[in-house]
Amino acid sequence: EPEVTQTPSHQVTQMGQEVILRCVPISNHLYFYWYRQILGQKVEFLVSFYNNEISEKSEIFDDQFSVERPDGSNFTLKIRSTKLEDSAMYFCARGQGAGGYTFGSGTRLTVV
Amino acid sequence: GESVGLHLPTLSVQEGDNSIINCAYSNSASDYFIWYKQESGKGPQFIIDIRSNMDKRQGQRVTVLLNKTVKHLSLQIAATQPGDSAVYFCAENNSGYSTLTFGKGTMLLVSP
């Protein structure tokens, strides 16, 4: 059973539409992260979430992005008005101590 | 800005060979380094890590070497198997921060 489950596995959306990507970390860890990976490129940090608050965010994580942990277990990333360049794999991760993470299998977002 | 990068984008080896994947980093404040394996359609999977107070660490069939003088990190895989075919990323972290900075990745192709 995967330790970090992401849904959906693939999302296709029209440019300008809102998308919500979901993650179930299945643990009591306090640190959670969203990273993205544009096809063929490196994994890039978006945001870290500690104790139900954003603790760090990158330049990529602008006002179009938001994160929530609405019910204490699910962890969501919302993109309010998607752009073509938002097309990427989005990975949720939970901290496992000493700086290492456990990553989910990712959501492939395709903006058309 | 400071970043982590990889020398070789693709490495092709024969089954049974030893593989060496290299990584250069430029952030002298980094004190924790991790190698991840990413198979197609999956999230990064933790392989091995090393702290800056060490120069070598061994796992099962894998060894990570750290040369802080030249800011170089390598991953050695012994007796490479077809199942080792994947993209390998190095990542670095400053223990004062929770986020990881990833390198671009090296594709390892293992021929039977």
Side-chain angles (χ1 to χ4, degrees), chain A residues 15-77:
Chain A
M15 189 169 56
Q17 295 296 305
E18 174 183 283
V19 294
I20 297 176
L21 310 182
R22 292 182 170 83
C23 173
V24 181
I26 314 178
S27 74
N28 293 320
H29 285 258
L30 296 177
Y31 268 108
F32 302 100
Y33 307 86
W34 283 101
Y35 282 75
R36 80 171 186 189
Q37 185 181 29
I38 295 171
L39 184 65
Q41 299 189 22
K42 64 181 180 181
V43 179
E44 300 175 292
F45 168 71
L46 291 178
V47 64
S48 61
F49 197 74
Y50 173 71
N51 202 23
N52 296 324
E53 292 184 351
I54 291 175
S55 59
E56 295 178 68
K57 59 183 180 179
S58 71
E59 294 177 351
I60 302 168
F61 194 87
D62 61 20
D63 291 344
Q64 294 300 311
F65 291 87
S66 62
V67 289
E68 285 186 347
R69 199 173 185 200
D71 58 9
S73 61
N74 291 298
F75 181 44
T76 64
L77 174 69

Side-chain angles (χ1 to χ4, degrees), chain B residues 19-30:
Chain B
S19 302
I20 300 175
I21 301 172
N22 297 300
C23 177
Y25 67 96
S26 57
N27 186 350
S28 58
S30 296

Side-chain angles (χ1 to χ4, degrees), chain B residues 4 14 27 30 42 49 55 78 95:
Chain B
V4 177
Q14 294 287 324
N27 186 350
S30 296
K42 297 183 179 180
D49 59 0
D55 54 19
S95 58

Side-chain angles (χ1 to χ4, degrees), chain B residues 56-75:
Chain B
K56 181 178 180 179
R57 190 161 187 228
Q58 288 184 294
Q60 187 176 15
R61 285 202 304 118
V62 294
T63 301
V64 56
L65 299 176
L66 175 63
N67 185 331
K68 294 182 287 294
T69 302
V70 296
K71 297 189 179 69
H72 186 267
L73 190 69
S74 68
L75 175 70

Side-chain angles (χ1 to χ4, degrees), chain B residues 10-61:
Chain B
T10 304
L11 177 65
S12 297
V13 301
Q14 294 287 324
E15 182 177 2
D17 289 350
N18 296 330
S19 302
I20 300 175
I21 301 172
N22 297 300
C23 177
Y25 67 96
S26 57
N27 186 350
S28 58
S30 296
D31 56 7
Y32 180 63
F33 305 88
I34 310 169
W35 280 101
Y36 284 94
K37 173 186 181 183
Q38 186 178 28
E39 296 173 289
S40 180
K42 297 183 179 180
Q45 178 186 2
F46 174 91
I47 301 173
I48 193 169
D49 59 0
I50 188 169
R51 293 209 170 270
S52 59
N53 61 351
M54 301 172 68
D55 54 19
K56 181 178 180 179
R57 190 161 187 228
Q58 288 184 294
Q60 187 176 15
R61 285 202 304 118

Side-chain angles (χ1 to χ4, degrees), chain A residues 82-93:
Chain A
T82 51
K83 305 184 289 289
L84 294 176
E85 54 265 38
D86 293 327
S87 295
M89 286 289 291
Y90 287 80
F91 294 106
C92 170

